[in-house]
Amino acid sequence: MEAGLEIVAVSDLKVGMFVAEPDCPWTDLPFPLQGFVLSEPSEIATFARHCRFVYIDRSFSTGEHYRAPLHERDPPLQCAALPRLESTPELARRQSQRHSFLKFLYEQDNSEQAEELARELTHIEPRFDSLQDTLRKTIECIQIEERVDFKDVATRVSDLSGSLQRNPDALMWLLRLKSVDQYSFDQAMDVSVYLLLFGKHVGLSGDRLVQLSMAGMLQDVGKTCLPPVLLTKTDPLDEEERELVRSHVASSLELLCLQHALPPEVMMIVANHHERWDGSGYPRGLKLKEIGRGAEMAGLVDSFCAMLKNKPYRAAMGHQNALEQLFNLRDQQFNPALMEQFVQCVGLYPIGTLVEMNNGEVGVVIQQNRIQRSRPRVLLLLDGMKQKMRGYHVIDLRDPRHKAYTVLRTLPQDAYGLAAQDYYLG
């Protein structure tokens, strides 16, 4: 059981309690969301028909059922510390931005969630940096057929999974802001972290969760064997070029087979993550349950993360547009049940999402509203004329004073010339 959850018999459920997990699969229940505050007796009656007990989270409950969360600290990093970076004016500037942003979060009025984010960012940032460094070194070793210590890789992935239990927003915020502008590397990091989030959402834990995340990190390592010109081509690929690109799955398996310590479950996900629900994928044209749940999840997440990035032949999509396009492929390329779960997992406006308001202003979501998901807290970056704002301007769409504000659309992360450093964390 996750820290902070409490077991409650269904006979003791009350309106205002936040149900985090039932003792039966969520798919057996008719609710559109996984995890929500009970708002009426009929919802309690539904749980009573299907369950004996549920897990509730007091920190998300309301009224008399609310309890402030206990703040736990991670144990010391189990992996070797990164070498100290040489101090430079640019590094000093970015650190100053980071401290200013954390201070800003702590000073948010009546926002315990903002304080939670600031607290978790402080603890998780070195772990995130450590995983990035490990991924870089792992890819280099695999390319030169040098043995990789995958126990060390698993340890670093586990360091992040603990953070997701307390505050998944912190990890997703860092993922948005610490990209290195190298497509293959950023894609591997994104897929790995999103699979951690998705895996926890569907109930995976322990070794299964870590292996799923590791597979996402490694599944496209074979693309390093392809001619670079093929990956940067703007014109449509011909049949021969398409077959060459598809060969990266075999190349990935060949490279990873030399790593004897890699779990077979990881290899299976790498082998099948480009297969599709309707049999239209590759390399073997598998379909339905032949693909395997982990590979289905990896393929779905890989497609989603790729849509959020610029490619030589198309521009990046916004979060909402990418989700809509994938959702339209449910029961075709993607398992419809998993697709529903993924939409619930990533949400409408997750933290770090760039949004355009109905008055033309542009901002980044810094806090989700777990009850009214269309009304997040937004840090404004650009005014209605798309000019950069000075200082921190926050609008909380839950506040009645801002009822005229609505989110018009989500934007790609580099829209209107914005970059990571414009998000105040760098």
Side-chain angles (χ1 to χ4, degrees):
M1 183 176 68
E2 293 184 4
L5 298 189
E6 176 184 332
I7 298 178
V8 173
V10 291
S11 58
D12 294 328
L13 282 176
K14 300 289 190 296
V15 170
M17 289 182 174
F18 183 95
V19 178
E21 288 290 341
D23 69 346
C24 63
W26 277 108
T27 50
D28 291 351
L29 299 165
F31 303 117
L33 301 176
Q34 290 194 4
F36 61 93
V37 175
L38 295 170
S39 59
E40 52 188 57
S42 62
E43 294 170 340
I44 298 175
T46 300
F47 278 112
R49 288 195 296 271
H50 294 84
C51 310
R52 293 173 301 150
F53 64 88
V54 298
Y55 296 102
I56 68 168
D57 190 333
R58 297 282 185 180
S59 66
F60 290 142
S61 299
T62 61
E64 63 181 314
H65 307 297
Y66 171 79
R67 300 289 185 278
L70 296 175
H71 306 310
E72 299 181 1
R73 289 180 176 269
D74 285 339
L77 282 177
Q78 303 175 48
C79 46
L82 292 176
R84 182 174 297 176
L85 295 175
E86 182 180 351
S87 179
T88 65
E90 174 62 16
L91 181 60
R93 184 187 67 81
R94 292 176 65 186
Q95 286 296 325
S96 176
Q97 284 184 321
R98 175 184 178 277
H99 290 305
S100 295
F101 182 78
L102 291 176
K103 182 174 182 290
F104 157 73
L105 286 177
Y106 274 118
E107 292 174 348
Q108 288 290 284
D109 293 335
N110 301 317
S111 181
E112 186 172 307
Q113 193 171 343
E115 291 188 13
E116 285 290 318
L117 173 60
R119 185 178 293 108
E120 191 63 32
L121 279 171
T122 302
H123 295 305
I124 196 59
E125 189 173 6
R127 291 162 172 80
F128 186 93
D129 292 342
S130 182
L131 181 59
Q132 277 192 320
D133 188 65
T134 297
L135 174 57
R136 187 177 293 106
K137 292 176 179 177
T138 297
I139 292 174
E140 290 173 355
C141 288
I142 290 174
Q143 286 175 322
I144 61 176
E145 300 182 7
E146 185 176 299
R147 191 65 57 85
V148 176
D149 181 2
F150 282 105
K151 288 184 179 179
D152 187 46
V153 177
T155 296
R156 297 178 191 235
V157 171
S158 296
D159 281 335
L160 298 191
S161 67
S163 177
L164 288 175
Q165 295 182 359
R166 292 185 303 275
N167 193 319
D169 284 350
L171 190 56
M172 300 310 294
W173 183 252
L174 290 174
L175 191 66
R176 297 283 190 186
L177 303 185
K178 284 183 172 282
S179 62
V180 297
D181 294 328
Q182 296 175 5
Y183 178 86
S184 296
F185 180 86
D186 285 340
Q187 178 74 358
M189 193 72 187
D190 288 0
V191 173
S192 180
V193 172
Y194 267 98
L195 281 174
L196 269 182
L197 187 70
F198 193 18
K200 287 190 69 64
H201 180 80
V202 299
L204 300 183
S205 60
D207 289 344
R208 292 182 65 195
L209 181 62
V210 170
Q211 289 166 6
L212 178 67
S213 181
M214 286 174 59
M217 183 187 296
L218 302 171
Q219 62 190 19
D220 282 335
V221 70
K223 285 187 176 178
T224 59
C225 302
L226 295 175
V229 67
L230 201 58
L231 299 177
T232 57
K233 188 175 180 181
T234 57
D235 298 328
L237 301 180
D238 60 32
E239 186 60 32
E240 183 178 350
E241 290 170 330
R242 278 196 295 272
E243 287 303 313
L244 186 55
V245 169
R246 292 181 173 188
S247 72
H248 82 270
V249 176
S251 298
S252 296
L253 293 172
E254 288 176 3
L255 289 170
L256 296 176
C257 278
L258 300 174
Q259 304 291 333
H260 301 296
L262 202 58
E265 292 81 0
V266 172
M267 299 293 288
M268 186 62 68
I269 293 172
V270 172
N272 293 349
H273 78 280
H274 280 297
E275 304 289 356
R276 293 294 179 260
W277 183 249
D278 58 2
S280 63
Y282 63 90
R284 294 188 290 162
L286 302 179
K287 60 182 179 180
L288 303 175
K289 294 183 179 180
E290 296 174 338
I291 301 170
R293 187 187 192 193
E296 285 184 308
M297 294 172 67
L300 175 54
V301 168
D302 182 57
S303 298
F304 175 72
C305 292
M307 288 179 171
L308 301 181
K309 293 182 175 61
N310 288 310
K311 292 230 178 159
Y313 51 87
R314 63 149 176 81
M317 299 181 191
H319 175 92
Q320 190 173 4
N321 191 14
L323 272 186
E324 288 174 353
Q325 290 208 19
L326 284 176
F327 194 76
N328 289 335
L329 294 174
R330 70 193 188 283
D331 212 21
Q332 300 172 45
Q333 293 190 26
F334 301 108
N335 181 330
L338 272 183
M339 187 70 247
E340 295 277 357
Q341 295 294 321
F342 185 67
V343 171
Q344 293 173 15
C345 171
V346 298
L348 190 59
Y349 304 121
I351 189 168
T353 301
L354 202 64
V355 293
E356 185 167 5
M357 312 305 296
N358 57 333
N359 65 350
E361 294 175 343
V362 173
V364 61
V365 174
I366 61 169
Q367 181 179 325
Q368 296 187 73
N369 183 349
R370 301 180 189 279
I371 307 302
Q372 294 177 280
R373 293 175 182 264
S374 64
R375 309 292 291 175
R377 180 179 289 223
V378 178
L379 172 64
L380 296 177
L381 305 175
L382 305 178
D383 62 24
M385 301 300 293
K386 305 302 186 287
Q387 299 299 308
K388 288 186 179 180
M389 293 185 175
R390 297 181 64 86
Y392 300 114
H393 300 271
V394 176
I395 54 170
D396 189 337
L397 299 188
R398 298 170 297 179
D399 191 324
R401 292 174 299 174
H402 300 310
K403 63 180 181 180
Y405 268 101
T406 58
V407 175
L408 180 65
R409 57 174 177 153
T410 60
L411 299 169
Q413 294 305 296
D414 59 355
Y416 299 113
L418 289 167
Q421 57 265 31
D422 297 312
Y423 292 19
Y424 300 99
L425 189 55

